[in-house]
DNA sequence: AATGAATGAGGTTTCATTCAT
DNA sequence: AATGAATGAAACCTCATTCAT
């Protein structure tokens, strides 16, 4: 749990610009978009990107980490179903691959935080009777990831997305 | 609807070997695996791969087409839930991306066939009362794709896969 | 000066069809057109092309040889200027490279025949006073090749071709 | 009419080395010589060639552009006949294809400049009586291209080149 | 003699990453 | 810290040529 030295102000600004640009570029072109394109969009030179993120994977991980952190922050404002809907909408918008498989050690912590937040919402939902008590966290996460991926790959319209989630929510509510 | 001339026996054998090798390679390394690797695994020269599949995309499309055709054949032997489970298991095994978005014109027909087959199973399930009558085909397909993608990306174990599908099936059965 | 064994009738027919196709293909697409394209156009398999012409260069040489032989036959019907005009028009039509550089041993003989024919026409032209007596065969051949190449590469219209040849003919006629 | 940003000193040096190497390589081996060979000769990595010239065609166009620009600069020092001779000698030396057909939009401007320069020399030659007044620029350019191509393809010796040009010059001078 | 599938060297091009400026 | 030119491995793909059928 090393603390990084604080960045110089301009470096911090560049880091943020790069992340924003990368988020936009990968959302548009998928994760195979080139790092040069990210640099161009961020208005910095390619070397600067690599100074901040030594490999392309580091850059992708950093995007994911920031995105996950944002989601965690937003969790408190939602109940489970609303949050679920929100996350799926996000995933469809930012095309960034929500690859929760924590093979990537760099994301283990961020994913853990999201899982905790969802766990809290799940407990609340079960307490209020909105979700059946037999449901456990892993399958909720699995469903979340699945629907995100599905929305990502298949270009659903809003209506289909709603109807799909309706089924999932009914399943969570039901006696199994 | 052009009919291709029938392939010579040796060419047909090589075509099949290449498809098998490609299926395995892409399952292991993802769709960015190199065509050279496929050739090596198939035991043919690189030119042979390109004679059969002029583009890497053609190769990927051919794999998907064969996979979809196989699934369609197997549909008749299952009810909706069993088929759903079977498809997800397949997807997890072959890592081949079940990208049903028929952006790829070459797959439109094959995807259509799968959709028809699922439609038939859905009608049967609704007739027998196993699935609520308000459910329509698009969301069933969306869920199928979603869970396949989820299984693909997240490396679920068998138990988690079963629990996740249990929720989906409950949702399909329920009053929405 | 080996005599080839006579070809079987069907083989002879194929040889001719291949030459015709090759002339057309190279005229349209330049000498970088693929040998497969020639085979396709000739309606034979690729192996047949290579049986008749063991290398692509052999095929190109054979085309040139036939083209040169035709020109030689036609020489008798023309005076020098008319023949010159005819050859240039041919070259512009068949885009086949009139590369008279007899680096290619296979063409030495055919080029020699053309040179003889032009020599005869030159002698006649000089006898009749149409060409200055100081002119010698090599520069006539050089000019012929030049204007052919020029017409080939620059896409002249008919009018420009005529005006260009007018200058050349005036030069041949003049006192130098 | 975009102005490119000025190159860094080292980049400019490499750009020039690549152009020099390419000129030499294509002169020796023709325009089908490989880009790798150019890189090797220039002493840079292959990627550097493609950073400067994203396409092989771009590289060929750049060579031609530089060559044409040099010729234009040298035009002022010559009269029409001397310039004509000079250009042909150049073409024979650098085997670079003087393909004036401005199919290649990238060369339209450079070719235009050469044509202007020749136009000026032609006007002077006509004013001084060295060239007949009926001659127009297009046929002069056509002859220039032709003799360059001829010299290129046929490997003339110096004497033949002189005698050939003598005929052309006589034609330009003559009453047509 | 003809077929056409297979070969494989070699071409162009891309792009993550390094490093001199 | 930032720049952006250079690197070079590796990707995709073409095509002249060979060879089993």
């Amino acid at each position: 749990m090393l603390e990084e030295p604080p960045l110089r102000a301009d470096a911090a600004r560049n880091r943020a610009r790069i992340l924003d640009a990368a988020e936009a570029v990968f959302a548009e072109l998928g994760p195979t978009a080139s790092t040069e394109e990210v640099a161009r969009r961020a208005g910095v030179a390619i070397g600067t990107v690599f100074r901040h993120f030594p490999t392309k994977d580091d850059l992708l991980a950093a995007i994911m980490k920031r995105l996950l952190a944002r989601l965690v922050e937003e969790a408190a404002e939602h109940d489970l179903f609303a949050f679920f809907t929100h996350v799926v909408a996000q995933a469809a918008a930012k095309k960034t691959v929500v690859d929760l498989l924590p093979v990537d050690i760099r994301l283990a912590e961020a994913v853990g935080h999201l899982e905790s937040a969802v766990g809290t919402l799940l407990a609340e939902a079960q307490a209020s009777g909105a979700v059946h008590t037999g449901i456990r966290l892993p399958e909720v996460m699995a469903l979340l990831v699945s629907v995100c991926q599905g929305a990502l790959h298949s270009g659903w319209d809003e209506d289909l997305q709603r109807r799909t989630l309706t089924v999932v929510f009914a399943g969570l509510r039901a006696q199994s």
Side-chain angles (χ1 to χ4, degrees), chain A residues 35-101:
Chain A
T35 313
E36 296 257 17
E37 179 61 29
V38 172
R40 191 159 32 249
R41 193 86 64 107
V44 301
I46 183 67
T48 304
V49 175
F50 276 90
R51 162 169 283 268
H52 284 282
F53 307 97
T55 72
K56 191 184 185 180
D57 275 357
D58 289 334
L59 178 55
L60 284 164
I63 293 173
M64 279 305 306
K65 199 168 156 185
R66 194 173 68 157
L67 199 141
L68 290 171
R70 277 186 201 151
L71 289 176
V72 169
E73 279 178 28
E74 292 158 351
E77 314 159 17
H78 297 84
D79 65 28
L80 178 66
F81 293 169
F83 186 58
F84 208 111
T85 305
H86 173 64
V87 172
V88 171
Q90 278 281 319
K94 329 269 178 191
K95 223 162 71 186
T96 317
V97 179
V98 184
D99 220 332
L100 292 191
L101 185 57

